[in-house]
Amino acid sequence: MFATYLIGLREGLEATLVVSILVAFLVKSNRRNRLPQVWLGVGAAIALSVLFGWLIEYTSTSLLQTSESRELFDAVTSVAAVVFVTWMIFWMRKAARSIAGELRGKLTEALAVGAFAVAGMAFLAVIREGLETALIFYSAAKSTAGDTSRDAMIALVGGILTAVVLGFLLYRSAVKLNLSKFFTWTGALLILVAAGIFKYGVHDFQEAGVLPGLNQHAFDISGALDPSTWYAALLSGMFNITPTPSVLEMVAWVAYGIPVLVLFLRKPATPARPAAPAAPPAATGDAATTSAEPGAATTPAEPAAAEAPTTTATQRA
């Protein structure tokens, strides 16, 4: 349950922050009359995301007739979910500082076009998070042993509601949250969750007969890891750690989880700034003016605010 709660919390907070940026921009620019179009676009994105999630579940349970085809479908969706998770966490780390400015620019262009463009812009800003959530939730719920679909859905909704409350408090400046640390820690946990989903996908490929080695176990710790205990349920539900995994499953878990986690936690290298030019020799009158390097004083200094992590939604806006 914790894995699906984490998915709802992480994806929900990203979507909430996007919406808060749009709302704050309209409020500050005295364009409150465009807020209904924003909420219309957000509502349409949520509805389409729910429909997409239902379609995935319906395809697996009703459209596919054989167990092999269902296993293959689950394996493909698991791999797709891992790709989306990996892309999302690295993209968010790179684009976190510029996303507010990009959203404001796109919304400004949409305001110049009309109400339909504003609704469409809000829809596109939220739909990516919604579709990712639906796909990742389905794969995480399938890979979680012991949890029912109802439990997984409750955990997901709980995570989304927590994200909405946090986003509202951030927007109202009622709380402060170091978003940089939040997305770093949740990103690291999501990488481990994704490693478990990838392991589950390999297991499904083996059950579908696409990959060999289903009965070649890497180890057997069923004596030490009792499935009925709370910690076994936590390890299985969060990271898909099982007592008797196949060799190929463990190879997949390690091959994805360790290098991706190391790359994600590694501090990105900051580009070196050019050294300041040496001070020219003292000159007087026109000589000082003509000796200055062209354009040397035209490049503005980088604002110091860009170095500090964003802590509230209003600051992001």
Side-chain angles (χ1 to χ4, degrees):
M1 288 181 63
F2 184 74
T4 51
Y5 176 84
L6 177 65
I7 291 168
L9 177 62
R10 166 75 185 227
E11 295 286 342
L13 188 57
E14 287 186 18
T16 302
L17 290 176
V18 167
V19 174
S20 67
I21 290 170
L22 300 179
V23 171
F25 178 76
L26 292 177
V27 170
K28 290 180 180 179
S29 59
N30 295 321
R31 303 298 294 271
R32 292 176 180 268
N33 60 316
R34 294 302 188 186
L35 287 176
Q37 286 84 49
V38 170
W39 294 120
L40 178 63
V42 171
I46 294 174
L48 183 59
S49 300
V50 173
L51 178 62
F52 178 66
W54 172 84
L55 182 60
I56 296 176
E57 181 67 25
Y58 180 75
T59 300
S60 177
T61 57
S62 301
L63 296 183
L64 301 177
Q65 301 300 321
T66 64
S67 59
E68 290 79 7
S69 61
R70 287 192 291 268
E71 296 294 348
L72 184 59
F73 178 79
D74 289 344
V76 172
T77 54
S78 295
V79 173
V82 171
V83 172
F84 273 110
V85 168
T86 308
W87 175 82
M88 177 263 295
I89 58 178
F90 280 96
W91 175 85
M92 190 64 186
R93 186 179 68 170
K94 180 180 179 181
R97 295 187 183 276
S98 60
I99 188 172
E102 292 178 0
L103 287 172
R104 287 195 296 265
K106 292 179 180 178
L107 186 55
T108 300
E109 295 175 358
L111 286 170
V113 175
F116 182 79
V118 173
M121 187 268 163
F123 172 83
L124 293 175
V126 176
I127 189 62
R128 179 181 62 84
E129 307 293 344
L131 296 180
E132 283 180 2
T133 302
L135 180 61
I136 298 169
F137 165 73
Y138 173 81
S139 300
K142 286 292 183 180
S143 66
T144 301
D147 283 356
T148 64
S149 298
R150 180 175 175 271
D151 293 336
M153 180 60 68
I154 291 175
L156 177 73
V157 173
I160 294 174
L161 291 178
T162 304
V164 171
V165 172
L166 280 176
F168 176 77
L169 293 176
L170 288 170
Y171 176 79
R172 304 296 297 180
S173 298
V175 297
K176 289 187 176 182
L177 178 66
N178 190 319
L179 293 177
S180 177
K181 290 185 177 180
F182 173 84
F183 284 122
T184 297
W185 284 106
T186 56
L189 288 175
L190 277 179
I191 288 173
L192 297 179
V193 171
I197 294 175
F198 188 42
K199 172 179 174 289
Y200 176 79
V202 169
H203 179 80
D204 279 341
F205 275 126
Q206 290 178 313
E207 289 194 334
V210 176
L211 293 176
L214 178 61
N215 297 317
Q216 297 177 358
H217 300 305
F219 49 79
D220 185 352
I221 55 172
S222 54
L225 191 64
D226 185 356
S228 62
T229 59
W230 66 268
Y231 54 86
L234 178 63
L235 289 175
S236 176
M238 187 66 186
F239 309 123
N240 198 22
I241 302 299
T242 53
T244 56
S246 69
V247 174
L248 201 55
E249 286 179 67
M250 289 309 303
V251 169
W253 200 101
V254 173
Y256 170 85
I258 293 180
V260 174
L261 189 62
V262 169
L263 288 174
F264 178 72
L265 294 179
R266 186 179 64 179
K267 189 175 181 180
T270 55
R273 296 184 180 181
T284 59
D286 293 339
T289 304
T290 57
S291 64
E293 184 178 351
T298 60
T299 304
E302 185 177 348
E307 301 295 333
T310 305
T311 55
T312 66
T314 52
Q315 287 174 323
R316 293 173 66 92

